Amino acid sequence: MTTSTVPTTAALSLADDALVLSHRLGEWIGHAPVLEEEVALANIALDLLGQARFLYSMVGDEDELAYLREERAFRNVQLVEQPNGDFATTIARQLFFSCYQGLLYGELASTDGELAALAARAVKEVAYHQDHAVQWTLRLGDGTPESRIRMQRALDSLWRYSGELFAPVEGLPVEPAALRERWLETVTTVIRQATLTVPDGSDHTPWAAGAGRQGIHTEPFGRMLAEMQHLHRTHPGASW
Amino acid sequence: MSGSNTDWPLWEVFVRSKRGLSHSHAGSLHAPDAAMALRNARDLYTRRGEGVSIWVVPAAAITASSPDEKDPFFEPAADKTYRHPTFYEIPEGVKHL
């Protein structure tokens, strides 16, 4: 047990969100629709990876936490582990998550806990992630008939993972539920401006509502984790 | 790769560095519109703290001299020495020369 004042569960939850999303975005490398966008997504992935590393090192050994934990030990929300899908799906996931992360870090930065230092530094990065997602949502929604269909479909299909973002996190000095109203306002404004419709279905999965924070994950996560961890597990302790 | 890059216009990117007084050409990129070009430029050319200001210009909007005209354009008569500022000394303390 750690004797420091670091809220372990809270730090791990935020770190896992960042690491898992970073890995998903990294999967676009070599596959992005255009080179410029590949660089943009990779930059966002690197920002998130930096956040994750900072948080992991507060809690313990980075490599052990990232590469040697089992699926059930990860505390990330299910939204970030969802597969990239088409470009619109990735953008919808970015929109939902970056709007949430921006609000969370903004609040966290003004607390005096250990997490405030990270939040204060990362809030600028996240502002850019959010801007990137907003710009693309507007262009895809108000773009061609095809991009419009895809963007709406992406929003609809990921909507059910958005509710979990506001589930309570043990030890976090910010109450995520308190961010929900502002999140909804921001996301609604963007979706309407993109001439799209705000999804009206359930914002959580009925069979696993908010369970990512408890270690329950969706099926694609296992495969993602296997890919992310196999090298380290095959060659434990290897270095360059 | 869908090849959609060919549908997007080319933009020339100019970056002003922290110490620089003017924007310098940094490179080019493809983007659907000016706002996205600016963001792409930020990712491609200023991620290591190189710049404090970015301009993006549609490549099509630039009028360039043609390589064929190189001689008449760029070879002034060498005998007009008064065109070259070689007759006076630069006082000490003059900056940005």
Side-chain angles (χ1 to χ4, degrees), chain A residues 101-111 119 123:
Chain A
Q101 206 188 25
L103 289 169
L104 180 66
Y105 283 176
E107 290 292 317
L108 212 48
S110 55
T111 63
V123 79

Side-chain angles (χ1 to χ4, degrees), chain A residues 9-27:
Chain A
T9 309
L12 272 183
S13 299
L14 302 189
D16 290 347
D17 282 352
L19 177 71
V20 171
L21 187 57
S22 169
H23 189 86
R24 280 296 188 207
L25 290 172
E27 289 174 354

